[in-house]
């Protein structure tokens, strides 16, 4: 089966599916091994990512390459299999699904952790993932304004154009207000929910800037132990929730570098999203700072691939 065209997976259904599969991970109905990291070139790594849902009887294998060179930074292909027989069910291009499932995971975390009255969304980075995050976060919070920063004016204009086109296509009333910030600090200091979406190596978001009640989705840093968008002080200040403890301790520079610096301990970065969804405390008080540390899991790719091939994920 070829990859389905973008838009055939409903974003709301995908958010529900990602939520359900994170719960399955916590309850033992799904398995998410830590992916191996293979250096295939001087600046390129390959990650074969695998996940299985016993409840759905599906396995996904995603082959991701992350290259610090010209051309697409990340490229991927997703293979969906019958978990019992190993029969190939679909082969999907990874790009559209990766953007959608990443934003869906941020929406699940935002729904679980952000204050209910959060209305201003901040974006550090203005690429395609930014537009997807606006659409996803609006599904779970009453966002009416976006504050965005990017290194280039061209990216900002592309973001505005694509966002308006997406609003028209989705019929999302009312139209969002958009403010362009001249720097990252200006974004962080003005918003209720912050999404960091840039492939940074050195942190450009600092915990000293966080105001009480903020929720952060840390998304953009590539799966390399020496890359991070957010400094150790940010993790120290926040109630940190991770997508997977084991995967974070292998792939997340934000977590590993903060641990190396002594800013946090293993206990500080050990709470998983699925545990919050099944009853563990996330946000305790309105003025807590919460932070979802996201490296991206194959179980989220499974959610997208199942829906893209017409297979329900959420029990009916």
């Amino acid at each position: 089966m070829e990859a389905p065209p973008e838009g055939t997976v409903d974003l709301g259904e995908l958010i529900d599916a990602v939520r359900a599969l994170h719960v399955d991970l916590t309850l033992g109905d799904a398995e998410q091994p830590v992916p191996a990291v293979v250096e295939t070139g001087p600046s390129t790594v390959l990650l074969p990512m695998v996940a299985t849902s016993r409840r759905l009887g599906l396995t996904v294998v995603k082959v991701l390459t992350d290259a610090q060179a010209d051309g697409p930074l990340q490229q991927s292909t997703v293979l969906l299999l019958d978990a019992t027989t190993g029969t190939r069910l679909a082969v999907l291009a990874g790009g559209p699904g990766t953007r959608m499932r990443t934003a869906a995971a941020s929406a699940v975390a935002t729904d679980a952790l952000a204050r209910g009255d959060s209305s201003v969304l901040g974006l550090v980075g203005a690429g395609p993932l930014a537009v997807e995050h606006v659409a996803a976060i609006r599904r779970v919070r009453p966002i009416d304004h976006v504050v965005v920063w990017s290194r280039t004016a061209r990216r900002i204009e592309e973001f505005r154009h694509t966002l308006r086109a997406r609003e028209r296509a989705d019929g999302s009333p009312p139209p969002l207000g958009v403010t362009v910030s001249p720097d990252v600090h200006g974004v962080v200091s003005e918003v209720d929910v912050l999404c960091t979406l840039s492939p940074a190596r050195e942190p450009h978001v600092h915990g000293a800037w966080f105001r009480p009640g903020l929720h952060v989705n840390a998304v953009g840093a590539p799966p390399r132990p020496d890359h991070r968008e957010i400094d150790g002080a940010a993790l120290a200040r926040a109630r940190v929730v991770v997508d997977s403890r084991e995967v974070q301790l292998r792939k997340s520079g934000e977590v590993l570098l903060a641990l190396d610096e002594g800013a946090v301990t293993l206990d500080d970065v050990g709470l998983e999203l699925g545990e919050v969804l099944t009853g563990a405390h996330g946000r305790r008080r309105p003025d807590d700072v919460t932070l979802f540390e996201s490296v991206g899991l194959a179980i989220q790719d499974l959610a997208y691939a199942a829906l893209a091939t017409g297979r329900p994920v959420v029990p009916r």
Side-chain angles (χ1 to χ4, degrees):
M1 178 180 291
E2 297 298 323
E6 284 193 73
T8 59
V9 172
D10 178 79
L11 180 56
E13 290 184 2
L14 182 57
I15 292 169
D16 290 341
V18 168
R19 182 186 292 110
L21 286 175
H22 271 276
V23 169
D24 285 352
L25 275 178
T26 295
L27 299 180
D29 292 328
E31 186 171 351
Q32 172 67 66
V34 177
V37 179
V38 182
E39 294 186 6
T40 59
S43 60
T44 302
V45 297
L46 180 145
L47 292 89
M49 302 165 62
V50 180
T52 293
S53 169
R54 284 182 277 275
R55 178 172 62 83
L56 300 178
L58 296 173
T59 293
V60 74
V61 180
K62 179 178 182 177
V63 180
L64 169 70
T65 57
D66 181 77
Q68 304 294 315
D70 295 337
L73 183 63
Q74 293 186 346
Q75 301 178 78
S76 58
T77 302
V78 175
L79 180 65
L80 184 66
L81 307 171
D82 183 292
T84 301
T85 66
T87 301
R88 184 184 67 192
L89 302 174
V91 179
L92 310 176
T98 297
R99 289 192 294 272
M100 283 191 72
R101 63 80 155 154
T102 301
S106 293
V108 171
T110 300
D111 196 31
L113 297 168
R115 291 183 292 111
D117 61 352
S118 298
S119 61
V120 182
L121 174 63
L123 304 171
V124 177
L129 196 55
V131 175
E132 206 66 58
H133 269 74
V134 173
I137 303 302
R138 291 193 85 185
R139 296 292 183 109
V140 299
R141 286 297 182 271
I143 302 298
D144 58 22
H145 200 90
V146 172
V147 183
V148 61
W149 170 87
S150 176
R151 288 187 175 90
T152 66
R154 178 182 60 82
R155 275 287 199 191
I156 292 291
E157 288 308 308
E158 290 174 351
F159 169 79
R160 286 182 181 276
H161 175 77
T162 307
L163 181 64
R164 295 310 182 204
R166 180 68 176 263
E167 286 182 323
R168 289 192 295 271
D170 291 348
S172 304
L176 281 168
V178 176
T179 298
V180 178
S181 177
D183 52 39
V184 175
H185 179 268
V187 177
V188 178
S189 63
E190 295 183 24
V191 302
D192 303 313
V193 176
L194 174 69
C195 299
T196 65
L197 307 168
S198 61
R201 182 162 191 165
E202 299 297 332
H204 50 208
V205 175
H206 300 278
W209 302 341
F210 289 176
R211 65 179 187 173
L214 177 69
H215 171 68
V216 182
N217 298 306
V219 177
R224 294 169 179 258
D226 60 346
H227 284 62
R228 60 177 172 175
E229 297 177 280
I230 296 175
D231 67 0
L235 271 68
R237 186 171 178 188
R239 172 74 162 161
V240 178
V241 176
V242 300
D243 45 13
S244 162
R245 279 186 293 271
E246 293 183 347
V247 177
Q248 288 282 336
L249 292 174
R250 183 73 63 86
K251 292 171 56 179
S252 171
E254 270 147 1
V255 167
L256 292 170
L257 292 169
L259 287 167
D260 287 346
E261 294 165 355
V264 296
T265 68
L266 286 172
D267 287 342
D268 296 325
V269 294
L271 182 61
E272 291 188 346
L273 179 58
E275 293 170 335
V276 174
L277 297 173
T278 54
H281 288 295
R283 175 176 294 274
R284 297 187 179 99
R285 296 174 299 274
D287 61 351
D288 281 348
V289 175
T290 54
L291 189 151
F292 175 54
E293 178 60 41
S294 173
V295 291
L297 303 180
I299 199 72
Q300 299 159 358
D301 296 301
L302 194 156
Y304 178 87
L307 293 177
T309 55
R311 294 168 170 85
V313 176
V314 179
R316 299 189 186 280

